[in-house]
Every structure is written in structure tokens, then in C-alpha cells.
Amino acid sequence: MKEGKYLSELISLKDFSKKSLNLVNGPCGSGKTYCATNMLSKLSSSLNKVLYLIDKIGGRKQILLDKEKTRAFDPSLENVIKGKTINFINNNKITVMTYAKMGAILQKNPFFLEFFEVVICDELQSLEEFVIMGSEEETPHYAEIARKGLNNRINSGKYYTIALSATPNKIYKLFNTDVNSKFINKIPLYGEPREYEHREGPIKYNSITALITTLPKNTKGFVYVKRITDIEK
């Protein structure tokens, strides 16, 4: 582990804006998930008003290990889709779901995201891969619906939308913008973040793309992946 501070020690909530996509660029091992659930969630008036998006079911399960602060999307939340108010008094927790699930919900109710004051997008660059993978024959294309939903939310300027990523370049491509655009607000880090360095033994990860960027260059090794599409990376 490269010495440094956790993200929650390096950023200030004062730098976040409702008028842009707030991009937090932190390497693997810098504590992005902890920062999201324990610090960024404070931008909302209640944990109930925080939505945490993740690319894969495996990553969702990892985040849901924090049972004190997080909960999975369940049938009781379907009332949001129907435009009804939900009583969360006895269950004040962050809702966690995949981008695909959010796309499916947005297809039924385009205003679903307006229920949340803060939306945290973990490894948002992975959504760009899912958008490309989706063929024209796919109906509906949930990844593209999710992308458009986030784009509309950001353009409204009413809510906080935050992207966590170790590889932010693809996020600019995802929303067809560049580093000089006001659409993305790159959050400054006041110091050096900690990160994984090469070590013996297994390293658990959510994003293979983010992991590869932290490995030493010009070296050989093995990386276990579950999908053929990950092997191509």
C-alpha cells in the first residue's frame, strides 16, 4: 500500500456543486466507498435521500455488508416508481442498486431520480462499456436509459450527482464532453491519496479497468476474471 491519506481526509464538501457532475478521482485502495457512505452522504438531509449506484451485482453485495448504513432496493421501494411518498423513518439507510436496475426503473418512471438529493455513481466509467455493448436489438437498453437519466439529472442543476472513479477519462467520453467543460466539476484533493501497490497475495476488486491502472508497468502476472469481456481488457 502506497502511503497517503484516505479520500475522506482529502476532499471538502464545499467543493461540490449541484450544477455539474462532481468527479472524485481516487486510486484503488483510497477508500472511495467509505468516503461515499460516511462523508458524501452528508450532502443530503437524510440517508434515505441517497442513492448508491454500482456496476455489478458483486460490487453491490460488497457495499451492502455495511448493514448499518445501506440497504438493497426492495419491493417496498416500488412505491417511488408510482410517485408515492415512502415512510423511511424506521429505516434511514442508503439505497444501493446497479445501473441496469436504475435503467429499468427509469423506463417506468423518468422522474425516479428526483426522489434522491444525492446520487453516488461508483466506477461510473463502466457504464460507458455497457452502453457500447448494448446492441440495437436490445429493447429496452437499460444502460443507455441510465446514462440519459443521469445526464438529465445533472443538467437540471437541482441535485448532487457524484462520480467515483480511478479511471475518469472514460467518463468524459460517456457524456460526450471534455476536461474543459463545466458539465464536470473535478473535485480537488488536498494531499496525496493512499493506493494499492504491487504485493504478493490476492487483491479483491470491483473494476478490472481501475485495478489494471494501479499495477506496475512492464511486468507479467495473472488476473482472475469471471467474464470473457474482462479478459479482452
Side-chain angles (χ1 to χ4, degrees):
M1 180 70 68
K2 180 180 178 181
E3 292 186 4
K5 294 183 177 181
Y6 288 103
L7 280 180
S8 54
E9 302 175 280
L10 300 175
I11 62 177
S12 171
L13 295 182
K14 296 180 180 179
D15 292 323
F16 288 76
S17 170
K18 295 181 180 180
K19 298 180 180 180
S20 306
L21 172 61
N22 299 280
L23 176 58
V24 179
N25 182 13
C28 291
S30 60
K32 292 192 291 294
T33 302
Y34 179 88
C35 178
T37 57
N38 291 274
M39 183 179 182
L40 300 182
S41 59
K42 294 179 180 179
L43 289 168
S44 175
S45 61
S46 167
L47 293 183
N48 292 324
K49 295 288 187 176
V50 179
L51 176 64
Y52 194 112
L53 297 171
I54 189 70
D55 55 347
K56 300 180 181 69
I57 294 178
R60 184 194 65 182
K61 291 181 179 178
Q62 185 69 25
I63 297 168
L64 289 173
L65 291 177
D66 185 356
K67 297 181 180 179
E68 181 180 346
K69 290 190 176 182
T70 63
R71 60 161 173 244
F73 182 85
D74 58 61
S76 67
L77 294 178
E78 291 291 341
N79 286 325
V80 178
I81 300 176
K82 301 175 182 178
K84 298 180 180 180
T85 303
I86 300 177
N87 184 357
F88 282 126
I89 295 177
N90 297 321
N91 192 13
N92 186 32
K93 296 182 180 182
I94 298 170
T95 299
V96 182
M97 70 172 64
T98 63
Y99 291 107
K101 180 63 176 180
M102 183 188 72
I105 294 174
L106 286 174
Q107 185 194 25
K108 299 178 181 179
N109 178 14
F111 304 103
F112 172 72
L113 289 178
E114 293 184 8
F115 177 81
F116 299 96
E117 296 174 357
V118 176
V119 172
I120 300 172
C121 307
D122 198 350
E123 302 298 349
L124 181 57
Q125 76 283 345
S126 63
L127 185 57
E128 189 256 350
E129 299 171 13
F130 295 140
V131 169
I132 294 175
M133 288 167 56
S135 64
E136 295 181 358
E137 287 74 24
E138 281 188 298
T139 305
H141 186 354
Y142 293 137
E144 178 59 16
I145 294 173
R147 186 195 69 80
K148 289 181 177 179
L150 289 172
N151 187 78
N152 293 337
R153 174 187 172 88
I154 296 164
N155 285 327
S156 75
K158 298 179 181 179
Y159 320 94
Y160 288 107
T161 307
I162 304 166
L164 305 174
S165 177
T167 54
N169 292 336
K170 287 187 177 182
I171 295 178
Y172 292 97
K173 182 179 179 181
L174 177 65
F175 293 103
N176 193 29
T177 186
D178 56 54
V179 294
N180 297 316
S181 171
K182 293 182 180 180
F183 183 84
I184 292 182
N185 174 35
K186 188 173 182 180
I187 301 301
L189 301 183
Y190 299 102
E192 292 296 324
R194 69 200 301 266
E195 62 180 294
Y196 284 127
E197 287 188 319
H198 175 68
R199 65 176 174 81
E200 296 182 358
I203 298 177
K204 295 182 179 180
Y205 62 90
N206 289 329
S207 169
I208 182 66
T209 305
L211 174 65
I212 290 175
T213 61
T214 67
L215 299 178
K217 296 182 179 180
N218 301 320
T219 57
K220 296 181 178 180
F222 291 96
V223 178
Y224 171 77
V225 296
K226 295 182 178 180
R227 302 186 306 174
I228 295 177
T229 53
D230 286 337
I231 295 176
E232 296 174 352
K233 298 175 184 178

